[in-house]
Coordinates of all heavy atoms in Angstrom, one line a residue:
S59 N -21.9 -42.9 -21.7 CA -22.4 -44.1 -22.4 C -21.2 -45.1 -22.5 O -21.4 -46.3 -22.6 CB -23.0 -43.8 -23.7 OG -22.1 -43.4 -24.7
L60 N -20.0 -44.6 -22.6 CA -18.8 -45.5 -22.8 C -18.7 -46.4 -21.6 O -18.1 -47.5 -21.7 CB -17.6 -44.6 -23.0 CG -17.4 -43.7 -24.2 CD1 -16.1 -42.9 -24.1 CD2 -17.4 -44.6 -25.5
L68 N -13.1 -53.1 -25.7 CA -11.9 -53.9 -25.6 C -11.7 -54.9 -26.7 O -10.6 -55.2 -27.1 CB -11.8 -54.6 -24.2 CG -11.5 -53.8 -23.0 CD1 -11.7 -54.6 -21.7 CD2 -10.0 -53.3 -23.1
D69 N -12.9 -55.3 -27.3 CA -12.9 -56.4 -28.2 C -12.9 -55.9 -29.7 O -12.5 -56.7 -30.6 CB -14.1 -57.4 -28.0 CG -13.9 -58.1 -26.7 OD1 -12.8 -58.2 -26.2 OD2 -14.9 -58.6 -26.2
E80 N -10.5 -39.8 -25.3 CA -9.6 -38.7 -25.2 C -8.1 -39.1 -25.2 O -7.2 -38.2 -25.1 CB -9.8 -37.8 -24.0 CG -11.2 -37.2 -23.9 CD -11.5 -36.2 -25.0 OE1 -10.5 -35.6 -25.4 OE2 -12.6 -36.0 -25.4
V81 N -7.8 -40.4 -25.4 CA -6.5 -40.9 -25.4 C -6.4 -41.8 -26.6 O -7.4 -42.1 -27.3 CB -6.1 -41.7 -24.1 CG1 -6.1 -40.7 -22.9 CG2 -7.1 -42.8 -23.9
F86 N -5.9 -46.4 -24.2 CA -7.2 -46.7 -23.6 C -7.3 -48.2 -23.3 O -7.7 -48.6 -22.2 CB -8.3 -46.4 -24.7 CG -9.7 -46.7 -24.2 CD1 -10.4 -45.7 -23.5 CD2 -10.3 -47.9 -24.4 CE1 -11.7 -46.0 -23.1 CE2 -11.6 -48.2 -24.0 CZ -12.3 -47.2 -23.3
S88 N -4.9 -50.3 -22.8 CA -3.9 -50.7 -21.8 C -4.4 -50.4 -20.4 O -4.4 -51.2 -19.5 CB -2.6 -50.0 -22.0 OG -1.7 -50.2 -21.0
D101 N -16.8 -57.3 -13.0 CA -18.0 -57.8 -13.6 C -19.2 -57.0 -13.3 O -20.1 -56.7 -14.2 CB -18.2 -59.3 -13.2 CG -17.2 -60.3 -13.7 OD1 -16.5 -59.9 -14.7 OD2 -17.1 -61.4 -13.2
G115 N -30.5 -39.9 0.6 CA -29.9 -40.2 2.0 C -30.5 -39.2 3.0 O -31.5 -38.5 2.8
C118 N -28.3 -35.8 1.5 CA -28.1 -35.5 0.0 C -28.9 -36.5 -0.8 O -29.1 -37.7 -0.4 CB -26.7 -35.6 -0.3 SG -25.6 -34.3 0.5
R119 N -29.2 -36.1 -2.0 CA -29.9 -37.0 -3.0 C -29.2 -36.8 -4.3 O -28.7 -35.7 -4.6 CB -31.4 -36.8 -3.0 CG -31.8 -35.5 -3.6 CD -33.3 -35.3 -3.5 NE -34.1 -36.3 -4.2 CZ -34.3 -36.4 -5.5 NH1 -33.9 -35.4 -6.3 NH2 -35.0 -37.4 -6.0
V125 N -25.0 -49.1 -9.5 CA -25.0 -49.5 -8.1 C -24.6 -51.0 -8.1 O -25.3 -51.8 -8.8 CB -26.4 -49.3 -7.4 CG1 -26.4 -50.0 -6.0 CG2 -26.7 -47.9 -7.3
P141 N -7.0 -37.1 -12.3 CA -5.7 -36.8 -11.9 C -4.8 -38.0 -12.1 O -5.2 -39.1 -12.4 CB -5.9 -36.5 -10.4 CG -7.1 -37.3 -10.0 CD -8.0 -37.3 -11.2
A159 N -25.7 -42.0 0.9 CA -27.1 -42.1 0.5 C -27.5 -43.6 0.3 O -28.6 -44.0 0.7 CB -27.5 -41.3 -0.7
L160 N -26.6 -44.3 -0.4 CA -26.9 -45.7 -0.6 C -26.9 -46.5 0.7 O -27.7 -47.3 1.0 CB -25.8 -46.3 -1.5 CG -25.9 -47.7 -2.0 CD1 -27.2 -47.9 -2.8 CD2 -24.7 -48.1 -2.8
F172 N -16.7 -46.2 -6.6 CA -15.9 -46.3 -7.8 C -16.0 -45.0 -8.6 O -17.1 -44.4 -8.7 CB -16.3 -47.5 -8.6 CG -16.0 -48.8 -8.0 CD1 -16.9 -49.4 -7.2 CD2 -14.7 -49.4 -8.1 CE1 -16.7 -50.6 -6.6 CE2 -14.5 -50.6 -7.5 CZ -15.4 -51.2 -6.7
P176 N -14.4 -42.8 -18.3 CA -14.4 -43.7 -19.5 C -13.7 -43.1 -20.7 O -13.1 -43.9 -21.5 CB -15.9 -43.9 -19.7 CG -16.6 -42.8 -19.1 CD -15.8 -42.4 -17.9
D212 N -9.6 -16.6 -4.8 CA -8.5 -16.1 -5.6 C -7.8 -17.2 -6.2 O -6.7 -17.6 -5.8 CB -7.6 -15.2 -4.7 CG -6.4 -14.6 -5.5 OD1 -6.6 -14.4 -6.7 OD2 -5.4 -14.2 -4.8
F222 N -19.9 -19.1 -14.9 CA -20.5 -18.0 -14.2 C -19.6 -16.8 -13.9 O -19.9 -15.9 -13.1 CB -21.1 -18.5 -12.8 CG -22.1 -19.6 -13.0 CD1 -21.8 -20.8 -12.5 CD2 -23.4 -19.3 -13.5 CE1 -22.7 -21.9 -12.7 CE2 -24.3 -20.3 -13.7 CZ -24.0 -21.6 -13.2
G227 N -18.1 -11.7 -11.4 CA -17.3 -10.5 -11.4 C -15.8 -10.8 -11.0 O -15.1 -9.8 -10.7
V228 N -15.4 -12.0 -10.9 CA -14.0 -12.3 -10.6 C -13.1 -11.9 -11.8 O -13.4 -12.2 -12.9 CB -13.8 -13.8 -10.3 CG1 -12.3 -14.1 -10.1 CG2 -14.5 -14.1 -9.0

Side-chain angles (χ1 to χ4, degrees):
S59 70
L60 295 176
L68 284 172
D69 293 339
E80 299 293 333
V81 294
F86 181 90
S88 175
D101 290 343
C118 298
R119 70 185 304 274
V125 175
L160 185 62
F172 293 90
D212 184 20
F222 303 109
V228 171

